[in-house]
Amino acid sequence: PLATNLDYAPDDGEAVGLAEPDELHGQDATETGIQKQILLVMPPPWEDVAPPLGLGYLESYLTHHGVQVTIVDANLVSLETVPEQDRELWQYEFIDKWNDRRLFQRFAKGKLALALDRCLEEILRVQAPIVGFSVNQVNRLFVAELIQRLKAATPSTHVVIGGPGVFHAEERRELSFISQLITVCVKGEGEETLLDVIDHLYAEADPSALPGTAQLTGAFEDVPRKPTRNLDCLPYPSYAGFSLEAYSGDRMIKVLASRGCPGRCKYCNDRCIMAPYRHRSSRSVFDEIRFHYDTNGIRHFVFNDLMLNGAPRELEALCEQIIDSDMDLQWDGNIVANPRLFPVHMAEKARRSGCRMLMLGIECGSNAVLKSMGKMFTIDEAVQVLEAVSAQGIKAWVNFIV
C-alpha cells in the first residue's frame, strides 16, 4: 500500500495517476551512439551544509540512463567569492531581499557582482549544450541574471528550469520577462521529464509539450505527468559529481524516504508539489544509508521528508535494520505528533538507531485551531509523543505559528 497505516484519500483535482516502473524510459548512449550531456546548476541562496538533494536525484537518474551530468553548485561558488561581511545575505532575515528587483539590481552591481561573474565562468567552462537551473522561491532573480548572461555569451545553449520556485503559475510569471531565453520549464518531480527533454533536444524536437512541462507565458498551462509510483525504482543520489568535502556540515547528507505528505494542513505549500504521498521501502533507504556510510564516510543523515512517520511500519523496520547493523550514525527528521504514527515504543527504537533530533510542527495550543488547520493530532496526543521522545533523550524541535 502507498500509505501504510493511513487512510489516504487524494483531494479533489489532485493527480492520482501514478507511473509504473516500466513506464520510465529514455535512450542511453549505447542505443544512440551519442553521449548526451547536461550541466545542472544550484544557484544561491541555498544552504551550504550538504549537497542539494534534488540535483543529487537528477544526477543519479540521468547518469543511470547514460547521460553525462556535470554539477556546478553556484551557491558554494558564490559563498566562496563574496567577502565575509556580505554573507549575511544568506541569513534567514535577509532572504526576502533576493526577491526585491530594485535591491537585487544593486546587489548584482555590488555585493554579488563577483559571484555572478564567477558562476558564469564555471558554467561556460563546462561547455554543455543543455544547462538546467534549480529554481526556488528566493533565487529567481539570480537565476534570471545568470540566464541572460549565459545566453548573451552562448546563444545556442538550451536552458531548462525547474524546481519548487516555478511550480505555481504565479511563480513562473516572475520569470516571464526572460521566457524567450528559456527552452522549457519542468514542473514537479523532474527525473523522467528532464530525461525526456534531453532526448527531444538531441533529436532536435520541441520539448515544450512534453508531460511534466509548463508554460512561462500566455495561459501558464502545464502538461501533467504521472508521478512515479514505485520510488524504489529510482536510483538514490550517489553524489558522484559533487565535492562532499566542500560542504560545511559534519559530513552530512540529506535523505528522502518518501515524497508528498498524507497530512491535510491547510497552510502547507509543500505537500502539493510532491503529491500524492508515496514511500520507499525500509530496505531501499537502509541500502542508501549503508552506501554513504561505507563509500563516503557519512555519519550524519538528515531526512527531508515532510512526514517521516507517514509509513510507521517502514520507519520502525528501518530503525531495526540500523540497530542490527554495525553502523554508528546519527539521524534527524520531521515527524507528526500523532501517537498512532509514532507510538511510545518507536521512540526507543529511534534512539537506538541513532536518532538525535526530531522536528514536530505543533503550531498552536488550541485543539479548535488545530482542527481548523487540518492537523492530525490533538494537544494531548502531541504531549504524549513529546514525552516519549524526551524520555529517550532525543531533542525535540517544536514549531509554532505566531
Side-chain angles (χ1 to χ4, degrees):
L2 293 181
T4 305
N5 290 357
L6 291 173
D7 295 325
Y8 175 74
D11 291 335
D12 293 340
E14 183 178 271
V16 295
L18 296 169
E20 297 292 346
D22 59 4
E23 292 181 74
L24 306 183
H25 58 280
Q27 294 179 304
D28 61 24
T30 60
E31 295 171 326
T32 63
I34 299 173
Q35 178 66 71
K36 299 170 185 177
Q37 302 176 51
I38 188 171
L39 167 63
L40 300 178
V41 182
M42 182 69 240
W46 196 244
E47 61 184 13
D48 65 339
V49 296
L53 183 60
L55 260 60
Y57 264 104
L58 293 176
E59 178 200 30
S60 289
Y61 185 83
L62 296 175
T63 300
H64 177 75
H65 286 278
V67 179
Q68 180 181 325
V69 182
T70 305
I71 303 291
V72 168
D73 193 329
N75 182 63
L76 288 187
V77 172
S78 300
L79 281 169
E80 293 167 356
T81 303
V82 299
E84 184 70 32
Q85 66 270 18
D86 291 336
R87 293 184 183 181
E88 66 179 12
L89 291 174
W90 274 256
Q91 296 175 10
Y92 184 79
E93 57 268 31
F94 289 94
I95 287 298
D96 285 345
K97 297 184 184 297
W98 294 73
N99 280 333
D100 186 309
R101 288 200 178 190
R102 181 182 59 82
L103 281 177
F104 183 80
Q105 288 305 314
R106 287 172 50 193
F107 293 156
K109 298 175 182 178
K111 296 176 182 290
L112 297 176
L114 187 56
L116 282 161
D117 291 342
R118 280 286 313 283
C119 290
L120 181 63
E121 289 174 7
E122 291 297 313
I123 293 170
L124 294 175
R125 180 181 56 80
V126 179
Q127 298 183 333
I130 307 171
V131 179
F133 291 89
S134 178
V135 185
N136 58 50
Q137 283 78 7
V138 292
N139 72 2
R140 282 189 288 264
L141 294 179
F142 194 98
V143 169
E145 183 69 25
L146 267 184
I147 290 174
Q148 291 176 90
R149 296 184 183 202
L150 171 62
K151 292 293 284 186
T154 57
S156 63
T157 299
H158 287 290
V159 172
V160 182
I161 62 172
V166 288
F167 184 83
H168 299 288
E170 58 269 23
E171 295 171 328
R172 297 196 296 275
R173 190 172 285 110
E174 295 293 322
L175 290 175
S176 60
F177 71 99
I178 58 164
S179 60
Q180 72 280 5
L181 304 179
I182 298 172
T183 303
V184 67
C185 173
V186 174
K187 176 182 176 179
E189 297 174 14
E191 291 97 342
E192 300 172 62
T193 304
L194 187 53
L195 180 60
D196 280 350
V197 165
I198 294 169
D199 288 342
H200 273 64
L201 291 178
Y202 269 85
E204 299 184 357
D206 181 9
S208 61
L210 284 170
T213 61
Q215 295 180 2
L216 288 169
T217 57
F220 291 90
E221 297 175 350
D222 52 40
V223 186
R225 176 184 287 273
K226 295 179 181 179
T228 303
R229 175 187 295 272
N230 183 4
L231 298 183
D232 286 359
C233 76
L234 299 175
Y236 53 73
S238 67
Y239 300 112
F242 294 81
S243 299
L244 295 180
E245 63 277 1
Y247 294 89
S248 65
D250 55 342
R251 296 293 288 179
M252 178 265 284
I253 64 167
K254 305 295 183 70
V255 179
L256 199 61
S258 63
R259 295 187 182 185
C261 181
R264 290 288 183 273
C265 300
K266 301 290 181 62
Y267 55 83
C268 182
N269 182 54
D270 293 327
R271 175 180 166 272
C272 63
I273 295 178
M274 294 192 292
Y277 177 73
R278 296 143 290 152
H279 64 79
R280 296 166 60 189
S281 68
S282 60
R283 172 51 61 177
S284 171
V285 180
F286 177 83
D287 288 345
E288 178 179 4
I289 291 173
R290 176 94 257 182
F291 169 81
H292 288 294
Y293 189 94
D294 292 340
T295 305
N296 294 318
I298 303 298
R299 298 295 183 265
H300 186 186
F301 299 84
V302 175
F303 286 93
N304 255 34
D305 300 59
L306 297 176
M307 186 192 298
L308 182 55
N309 57 332
R313 291 175 185 167
E314 294 296 336
L315 176 58
E316 185 170 1
L318 175 61
C319 291
E320 291 170 349
Q321 290 170 62
I322 296 175
I323 292 169
D324 292 340
S325 75
D326 60 350
M327 293 188 291
D328 180 14
L329 55 83
Q330 172 183 340
W331 64 266
D332 314 314
N334 305 307
I335 65 169
V336 64
N338 185 319
R340 295 182 297 279
L341 302 180
F342 198 84
V344 172
H345 74 272
M346 184 87 83
E348 180 187 2
K349 291 186 178 182
R351 189 261 306 164
R352 292 177 59 201
S353 65
C355 180
R356 296 295 177 267
M357 190 277 288
L358 291 172
M359 182 179 292
L360 302 93
I362 306 299
E363 315 309 356
C364 75
S366 164
N367 283 328
V369 175
L370 288 175
K371 184 177 181 180
S372 69
M373 286 180 172
K375 302 299 286 186
M376 301 172 65
F377 56 85
T378 65
I379 293 300
D380 287 343
E381 289 174 328
V383 170
Q384 184 178 336
V385 172
L386 284 169
E387 288 178 343
V389 168
S390 298
Q392 293 298 323
I394 298 172
K395 293 180 181 179
W397 186 337
V398 181
N399 290 334
F400 286 93
I401 295 177
V402 179

